[in-house]
């Protein structure tokens, strides 16, 4: 049922308060100002999003043509020049205000995220808290990331060398539907802090949340045209890659390869977080109560529609039966629901297409001999796209849910006899985004983690410890992406490194010129002696 709350500021109520309880309809006064922010000439048609909880229409959003995308980048580029001249600490102040605003507007924002994505409120809350934490981090640490860095020069005391970070210009962000708020800020906020402008192309289903971010940032003091939103599908995404100075993309590996290829042709940078088939290993000495609770969260957060969600449980054979007894009982007890409150543990899949994919993976596994220990069925009694949290055992290696990312509330079980077997299982396949290792012996778990080929490995946590550590880089190995979000790394990705070397002492410069003027044969011994002196002094 809709949450009852009051608006906390200028942005109006999300839901129509006059509608009957249980009716989910967005206020026209909310939708119209947001959709008016889409950069469009109104010649590219419209997209009607649906409410995943019921399948009913949610909002109609005007689409952007490729020419509209080019125009948006042009507007952003014109605004970026003045923004780059603003001191980093003043740019950081916008992020600091945004960090507070998303918490102040939490009830309305939770409603919007739930209604576009279909996730349970507890998982929408993760997005709100993440957005605030990320903004606060870059507001505090961002100016340090951008500060000029002194490095050793060619000659001690005579050469002063400084590395500066210069904004690349316009950053294009192509964001997915599964985390509409988190992905609308993950790379855009550090890019804005760095002095770049941003053009965001969200998935058509979740455009309103990105538009909310644009409106909120301007309310926090961001000048116009520095965070623009274009709406559309593949053609808008391709146009964005064709015009920006750096592209960030979160989505499938197949599409990521296309984005990387086009960015490479244009010689612009690309930060890509792609698919994951993430595994969670429970060692024979793990605390089972903690491991079960953590595994439930890791497997079914946002209905499994999470890049770092766990889809493979790897269990040491000594504890497998005991773990599964508790785990399956916990999974069967999860509450599915469509309420805009905290009564549901798991929400809906986002669309009929996603339901079709999850159903196909489960049916394929069962047809090949797998057993469903829990779930395995569509739940239309709850809503059109709901699927029961599912645990599968005896899944053949060639089953779809063993070889492909399911991206739904489905996890398979594999038993192993040792840490070595567990590492081999975790490293199977071409994807290496995230992993999890559970053991009471933290040093043992860290040794296992060091052998796992994944960009993030959580010890005694499912996924949030690494994802929430926004000062640390996050990304994938192998076919799970390139580049990193979070930390200093994303700031460096959306800036260019410029080296300025100052040679002190005009007379010394003249002496060097005279030395070279003597000819290479005479200059070589002198220069070699200088290098040996530096080595003796242990100069870097």
């Amino acid at each position: 049922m809709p949450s009852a709350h009051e608006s906390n500021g200028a942005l109006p109520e999300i839901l129509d308060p006059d509608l009957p309880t249980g009716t989910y309809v967005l206020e026209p006064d909310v939708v119209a100002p947001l959709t008016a922010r889409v950069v469009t000439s109104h010649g590219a048609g419209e997209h009607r999003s649906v409410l995943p909880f019921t399948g009913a229409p949610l909002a109609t959003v005007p689409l952007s043509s490729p020419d509209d995308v080019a125009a948006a980048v042009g507007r952003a580029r014109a605004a970026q020049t003045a923004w780059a001249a603003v001191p980093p600490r003043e740019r950081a102040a916008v992020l600091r205000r945004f960090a507070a605003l998303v918490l102040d507007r939490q009830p309305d924002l939770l409603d919007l995220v739930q209604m576009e994505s279909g996730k349970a409120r507890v998982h929408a809350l993760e997005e709100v808290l993440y957005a605030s934490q990320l903004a606060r981090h870059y507001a505090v640490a961002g100016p340090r990331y951008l500060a000029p860095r002194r490095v050793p020069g060619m000659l001690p005391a005579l050469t002063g060398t400084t590395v500066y970070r210069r904004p690349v210009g316009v950053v294009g962000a192509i964001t997915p539907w599964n985390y509409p708020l988190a992905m609308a800020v993950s790379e855009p906020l550090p890019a804005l802090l760095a002095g770049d402008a941003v053009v965001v192309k969200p998935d058509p289903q979740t455009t309103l949340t990105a538009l909310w971010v644009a409106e909120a940032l301007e309310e926090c003091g961001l000048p116009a045209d520095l965070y623009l939103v274009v709406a559309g599908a593949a053609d808008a995404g391709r146009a964005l890659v064709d015009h920006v100075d750096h592209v960030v993309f979160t989505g499938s590996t197949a599409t990521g390869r296309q984005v990387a290829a086009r960015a490479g042709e244009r010689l612009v940078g690309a930060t890509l977080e792609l698919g994951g088939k993430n595994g969670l290993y429970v060692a024979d000495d793990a605390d089972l109560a903690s491991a079960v609770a953590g595994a439930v969260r890791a497997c079914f957060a946002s209905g499994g529609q999470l890049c770092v969600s766990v889809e493979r449980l790897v269990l040491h054979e000594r504890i497998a039966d005991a773990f599964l007894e508790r785990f399956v009982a916990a999974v069967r007890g999860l509450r599915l629901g469509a309420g805009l409150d905290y009564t549901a543990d798991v929400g809906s899949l986002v669309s009929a297409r996603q339901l079709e994919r999850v159903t196909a993976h489960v049916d394929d596994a069962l047809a090949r001999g797998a057993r469903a220990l829990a779930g395995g069925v569509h739940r239309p009694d709850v809503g059109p796209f709901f699927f029961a949290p599912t645990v599968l055992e005896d899944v053949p290696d060639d089953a779809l849910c063993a070889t492909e990312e399911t991206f739904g509330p489905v996890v398979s079980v594999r038993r192993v006899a040792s840490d070595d077997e567990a590492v081999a299982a975790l490293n199977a396949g071409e994807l290496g985004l995230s992993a999890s290792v559970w053991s009471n012996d933290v040093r043992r778990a860290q040794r296992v983690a060091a052998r796992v080929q994944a960009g993030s490995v959580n010890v005694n946590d499912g996924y949030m410890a690494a994802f929430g550590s926004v000062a640390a880089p996050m990304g994938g190995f192998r076919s799970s992406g390139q580049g990193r979000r979070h930390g200093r790394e994303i700031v460096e990705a959306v800036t260019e490194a410029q080296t300025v070397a100052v040679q002190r002492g005009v007379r010394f410069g003249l002496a060097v010129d005279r030395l070279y003027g003597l000819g290479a044969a005479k200059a070589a011994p002198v220069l070699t002696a200088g290098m040996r002196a530096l080595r003796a002094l242990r100069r870097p």
Side-chain angles (χ1 to χ4, degrees), residues 419-440:
D419 289 353
D420 288 343
E421 282 190 35
V423 170
L426 293 174
N427 288 340
E430 64 172 6
L431 302 177
L433 185 60
S434 179
S436 175
V437 179
W438 291 74
S439 170
N440 270 333

Side-chain angles (χ1 to χ4, degrees), residues 440-497:
N440 270 333
D441 184 342
V442 173
R443 290 187 178 181
R444 172 188 177 184
Q446 289 175 319
R447 289 193 298 270
V448 173
R451 299 167 60 194
V452 176
Q453 297 171 14
S456 298
V457 184
N458 296 268
V459 171
N460 293 330
D461 184 80
Y463 69 91
M464 186 54 75
F467 188 78
S469 298
V470 294
M474 178 185 173
F477 285 10
R478 298 176 291 171
S479 295
S480 285
Q482 66 180 34
R484 294 294 184 267
R485 63 163 45 108
H486 295 169
R488 179 186 297 274
E489 284 74 6
I490 186 58
V491 173
E492 293 182 345
V494 296
T495 55
E496 296 281 12

